[in-house]
Amino acid sequence: MRNSLKLCVAFVIMVLLFGPSHELPPFWPRTDLTMTNNLGGPLLTVHCKSKDNDLGVHMLAANIYYHFSFQPNIWKSTLFFCTFQWNNQVKRFNIFDAVRDQDDGYKFNWAIKPDGPCKLGKKVKCFPWN
């Protein structure tokens, strides 16, 4: 009986640690994040990264969006940070910070504006650039 309990606990730990990286179904859904160029005209260059992933450079015309999805970790330490460039401006922002965002759901829509990014939803919340 004790050995089977240890085996069950070990199995659960292995699924939690390695499930998402081996395409096993996770116990929580993926997070979807969309950013739309709301600068009012200029082309927006977006480059987002996490500690483990570089999502590459994306060019967005006015009112065009960029979307990516990811699996946040269970320790609430997932962080995606982005550089935004247009005209002669270079701005930075943590587009997903698990401590700030993870309890808000699994779908995030951002409007990228000259004064800073705005998280859209029931309530719009705008943030200053980093």
Side-chain angles (χ1 to χ4, degrees):
M1 178 68 176
R2 282 184 98 188
N3 284 340
S4 63
L5 180 60
K6 285 181 184 178
L7 204 55
C8 278
V9 169
F11 175 75
V12 168
I13 289 171
M14 295 300 281
V15 168
L16 285 173
L17 290 176
F18 300 109
S21 63
H22 295 291
E23 301 303 320
L24 294 174
F27 292 104
W28 60 94
R30 291 181 66 77
T31 295
D32 291 309
L33 196 142
T34 302
M35 294 173 265
T36 302
N37 176 355
N38 287 144
L39 295 174
L43 187 67
L44 174 65
T45 302
V46 178
H47 187 189
C48 297
K49 299 178 182 182
S50 72
K51 184 178 82 170
D52 301 316
N53 300 300
D54 184 336
L55 303 179
V57 176
H58 302 273
M59 311 275 281
L60 306 179
N63 301 312
I64 299 300
Y65 68 88
Y66 168 59
H67 168 266
F68 66 94
S69 64
F70 58 94
Q71 184 71 57
N73 65 40
I74 60 174
W75 298 280
K76 279 195 168 182
S77 64
T78 302
L79 176 69
F80 278 91
F81 47 95
C82 302
T83 301
F84 300 90
Q85 294 179 291
W86 70 94
N87 296 339
N88 292 325
Q89 303 278 327
V90 177
K91 305 290 185 180
R92 290 175 180 78
F93 184 71
N94 295 336
I95 203 72
F96 183 84
D97 182 340
V99 172
R100 180 191 69 210
D101 300 319
Q102 198 160 320
D103 293 334
D104 292 344
Y106 299 99
K107 294 193 184 298
F108 297 91
N109 293 301
W110 290 88
I112 306 304
K113 299 182 177 189
D115 294 337
C118 296
K119 187 172 10 174
L120 308 176
K122 291 179 184 176
K123 294 173 100 177
V124 175
K125 183 165 184 187
C126 295
F127 296 84
W129 295 109
N130 289 0

